[in-house]
Amino acid sequence: AQPVFRDPLDTPAQPSALAAGSRLIAVAPAGTGAVAVGPRGHILYAEAGGQQWTQAQVPVGSDLVAVHFPTAQRGWAVGHDGVVLHSRDGGRHWHKQLDGRQAAQRMLAFYEAEVAARGRTGTASASEPAAEAESEADAALERALSEARHFAEDGPVHPFLDVWFENERQGFIVGAFGLIFRTEDGGESWTPWFHRVDNPMSLHLYGVRGGGPGQPVYAVGERGLILRLDRDAGRFVAVSGDYEGTYFGVLPGAAATLVFGMRGNAYRSTDDGRSWHKVDTGTRAGLPAGAALGAGRVALVSQGGELLLSTDHGASFVRQAGERARPGALAGIAALGEHGIAVVGEHGVGAETLQ
């Protein structure tokens, strides 16, 4: 008999005694503990210290690739099939807020309504600059509507690749082919921001992060794309960098912002993204994730299994010895308490104390 296909969006994640030692893709602090996510809907949570990891109840079996907790209890995880999950209890239980089917339909309905509304109001403006701005806005909406139609036709095949929340109500999710949504109500509703981003080629967006309250918010992606949120204009504006390869992540901070990606490349800005300077990371391996650890310390992990530590806000890095707690090629890192870190990778999750 032919095996019956079970859609991961309709199939809860299966419990596995081996989950903590199997491949995991991302990890985030949650209060004094941490939460890790990975393939087949696997989510694990740990208390302070990170020695004991417990598998959570998850309603989907889709691969999960990013997780963020703006508070100790409330967090979000995203991944393949356009899935967005939410937890209200520190990562122990999860429910689905959005999937690729719903995301495509919401995107299509939103842009159909926006384009129709613009058509009714017309664009007759008093001044030439205003008319030009109107024309650009119309073009952005038309392009977004065209993309929305493609997404609706494709079905739920496009992943969300990162999630970041400023607080427990306001956040962004970003993904493949320029996917980006904003929520103002803790994920109860999601508004497409496709028309609010300087990304005309619909490049993949791999990372989105902000610093502390009021600090800049950045999104990064392929072909050296760095975007900075202009809060007044309500849009992500492209800032020029010196690198044309893919960025996997960004760490904004009060002293400096760090972007990092393929082949050990990392760049640093101390002037809110106006200029970027190459950082010597000491590795040629890809850098999929980083974490700000406080007191000027920044850590990056590499696909070669390296842990790179900076004590000067990302200006320089030193490779850390000791591989015991590090599970092979690394994919994610999170601060764990005051002096600890949790790392995830091809062989699961590990925790260690930094000297």
Side-chain angles (χ1 to χ4, degrees):
Q2 287 281 8
V4 178
F5 171 72
R6 300 175 69 188
D7 193 318
L9 285 175
D10 304 319
T11 311
Q14 298 301 299
S16 168
L18 304 175
S22 302
R23 181 172 168 242
L24 291 164
I25 299 171
V27 61
T32 57
V35 175
V37 304
R40 301 181 301 284
H42 283 182
I43 299 183
L44 296 105
Y45 59 91
E47 308 296 336
Q51 298 309 309
Q52 185 67 45
W53 293 82
T54 306
Q55 193 174 353
Q57 294 181 13
V58 181
V60 299
S62 304
D63 291 354
L64 302 171
V65 301
V67 57
H68 183 239
F69 276 75
T71 72
Q73 296 300 314
R74 291 183 177 268
W76 283 262
V78 300
H80 289 240
D81 308 312
V83 75
V84 180
L85 304 175
H86 178 45
S87 173
R88 297 190 188 96
D89 60 4
R92 285 156 182 75
H93 301 87
W94 295 80
H95 71 272
K96 187 176 67 166
Q97 282 190 331
L98 190 69
D99 63 33
R101 304 163 183 157
Q102 300 159 332
Q105 292 307 316
R106 286 184 194 185
M107 202 169 156
L108 186 58
F110 178 85
Y111 286 118
E112 283 177 342
E114 288 286 309
V115 168
R118 293 293 284 239
R120 284 195 297 274
T121 56
T123 55
S125 296
S127 67
E128 204 171 298
E132 198 172 312
E134 288 281 329
S135 173
E136 282 180 19
D138 285 345
L141 283 173
E142 289 287 356
R143 191 176 69 83
L145 176 56
S146 173
E147 289 291 339
R149 287 177 177 141
H150 290 311
F151 281 120
E153 287 165 11
D154 291 344
V157 297
H158 302 299
F160 286 117
L161 300 171
D162 203 12
V163 54
W164 175 77
F165 271 71
E166 196 158 6
N167 49 52
E168 59 181 52
R169 294 190 67 75
Q170 298 169 303
F172 287 102
I173 46 178
V174 300
F177 301 105
L179 271 177
I180 178 166
F181 284 75
R182 166 86 169 162
T183 184
E184 302 274 354
D185 56 13
E188 293 301 315
S189 63
W190 293 92
T191 303
W193 263 45
F194 212 87
H195 61 303
R196 294 171 174 261
V197 181
D198 290 349
N199 183 14
M201 295 174 69
S202 301
L203 300 173
H204 298 334
L205 299 175
Y206 285 105
V208 59
R209 278 291 177 276
Q215 284 184 13
V217 179
Y218 292 89
V220 295
E222 56 183 345
R223 299 199 192 178
L225 184 64
I226 305 173
L227 301 158
R228 187 173 182 270
L229 178 63
D230 180 334
R231 291 182 188 271
D232 294 334
R235 65 179 293 110
F236 278 96
V237 179
V239 298
S240 56
D242 297 329
Y243 177 58
E244 294 184 0
T246 294
Y247 287 121
F248 296 134
V250 54
L251 287 173
T257 294
L258 196 68
V259 291
F260 49 88
M262 292 175 70
R263 294 188 291 279
N265 281 288
Y267 287 79
R268 183 174 182 264
S269 175
T270 54
D271 56 9
D272 287 341
R274 284 184 285 277
S275 63
W276 298 88
H277 305 282
K278 189 171 172 61
V279 176
D280 182 5
T281 61
T283 184
R284 296 284 293 157
L287 302 170
L293 306 175
R297 296 191 309 162
V298 177
L300 297 173
V301 292
S302 87
Q303 291 165 335
E306 300 152 301
L307 173 63
L308 311 170
L309 188 64
S310 169
T311 56
D312 52 12
H313 302 279
S316 63
F317 284 87
V318 175
R319 181 177 168 172
Q320 299 300 290
E323 305 283 342
R324 239 188 9 263
R326 290 181 217 146
L330 296 176
I333 180 171
L336 193 58
E338 207 168 325
H339 300 291
I341 55 164
V343 291
V344 296
E346 63 179 334
H347 302 308
V349 63
E352 61 184 281
T353 302
L354 293 175
Q355 299 309 313

